[in-house]
Amino acid sequence: MEFKLQPLGDNSVIIELGEDISRDIQQKVNKVSSFFDEQSFDWVIEYVLGFTTVAVFYDPCKIKTDMLPYEQVCAELSSYLEKLDVAQGAEPRVVEIPVCYGGEFGPDLEEVAERNELTPEEVIDIHSNGEYIVYMIGFAPGFPYIGGMDERIAAPRRKNPRLKIPAGSVGIAGKQTGVYPIETPGGWQLIGKTPRKLFLPEGETPCLLQAGDQIKFVPISEEEFQKWEENEND
């Protein structure tokens, strides 16, 4: 597997796996993530996934060597990463996200439609039939940056961000779509809302979605939304 190692501060290293945001590069990122989940390095504090990179933070005091800590970390990482076979990765998990589009749940749906010379129904059809993949989690706890959206419904961020966006809101920013897991300020164009909870801080796995997941958006009615929400809160 091709990669580059670069320093990031005084106790971390960036594993660069490519330059373009794509499914192929995301598969490499996911493979490296799985590698760190399976291996045990005393000196690793944590690792953080990006669109095309993995940042590894380490404890220099736990690296016993005559080499500089950074050099030793790079040497160890290189010896393992060179042997990784991306083709042997596990099948991605498919997660369905029910969405009630438009109305109070999606106040920007009509604006997105007008901008792209489409009807709201066409935007819903295009959005819910896309082939999506979670590239990374960031910005807020459990917030998925989801790629694969059709350019026909792309829309820029709002000029004036909202101070409060309800948890579960489904938005569009540029060529990406995403779901707000918690109430937070934000500037994405809101086209719908899901009753599924993406962030459960007290759960064993706090984030519903993980990098590498495939996402299927499923349109639901307001009545179905209420039923979903009741079940989620039970």
Side-chain angles (χ1 to χ4, degrees):
M1 182 174 68
E2 294 185 0
F3 62 90
K4 294 181 181 178
L5 301 178
Q6 298 287 345
L8 178 67
D10 57 3
N11 73 323
S12 56
V13 57
I14 281 280
I15 304 172
E16 298 178 353
L17 298 166
E19 298 181 354
D20 300 323
I21 300 175
S22 67
R23 286 177 179 266
D24 289 341
I25 298 301
Q26 200 288 321
Q27 286 178 349
K28 291 184 179 181
V29 171
N30 209 39
K31 184 66 176 180
V32 173
S33 170
S34 297
F35 162 74
F36 280 109
D37 288 340
E38 297 166 359
Q39 299 292 327
S40 177
F41 296 98
D42 292 338
W43 43 265
V44 172
I45 298 174
E46 66 174 335
Y47 68 89
V48 180
L49 308 185
F51 281 112
T52 62
T53 62
V54 178
V56 182
F57 295 84
Y58 58 87
D59 183 348
C61 296
K62 291 186 177 181
I63 300 174
K64 307 302 180 182
T65 176
D66 293 333
M67 300 171 65
L68 292 174
Y70 172 75
E71 294 176 345
Q72 179 64 27
V73 167
C74 287
E76 290 194 38
L77 288 178
S78 294
S79 67
Y80 284 100
L81 295 176
E82 289 171 354
K83 302 173 185 177
L84 283 185
D85 185 357
V86 180
Q88 294 181 352
E91 286 295 318
R93 184 179 62 148
V94 179
V95 182
E96 289 192 353
I97 304 294
V99 181
C100 185
Y101 290 93
E104 63 177 305
F105 295 146
D108 300 323
L109 176 61
E110 291 191 5
E111 181 177 338
V112 172
E114 290 178 5
R115 176 179 292 276
N116 291 287
E117 299 182 349
L118 299 168
T119 66
E121 292 73 22
E122 288 173 325
V123 173
I124 294 172
D125 182 66
I126 293 171
H127 187 267
S128 61
N129 282 287
E131 296 183 359
Y132 299 103
I133 186 169
V134 177
Y135 280 113
M136 71 174 193
I137 304 295
F139 163 62
F143 186 98
Y145 284 87
I146 303 172
M149 192 184 73
D150 195 311
E151 293 186 19
R152 290 179 294 169
I153 57 173
R157 288 175 171 80
R158 292 172 55 85
K159 292 182 179 179
N160 298 309
R162 293 181 171 90
L163 297 180
K164 289 185 179 181
I165 292 180
S169 296
V170 178
I172 289 175
K175 299 177 183 179
Q176 291 189 101
T177 186
V179 185
Y180 284 85
I182 60 174
E183 182 181 282
T184 178
W188 290 41
Q189 305 281 359
L190 306 183
I191 62 172
K193 186 178 180 182
T194 179
R196 290 202 72 173
K197 293 183 178 180
L198 272 65
F199 181 58
L200 300 169
E202 297 179 357
E204 183 176 345
T205 304
C207 299
L208 172 66
L209 302 178
Q210 302 293 330
D213 286 346
Q214 290 187 355
I215 305 300
K216 172 64 178 177
F217 291 109
V218 180
I220 60 173
S221 65
E222 289 189 28
E223 292 75 18
E224 291 173 312
F225 182 97
Q226 297 300 331
K227 291 180 180 179
W228 260 95
E229 196 168 45
E230 290 172 3
N231 292 332
E232 288 283 294
N233 293 326
D234 285 345

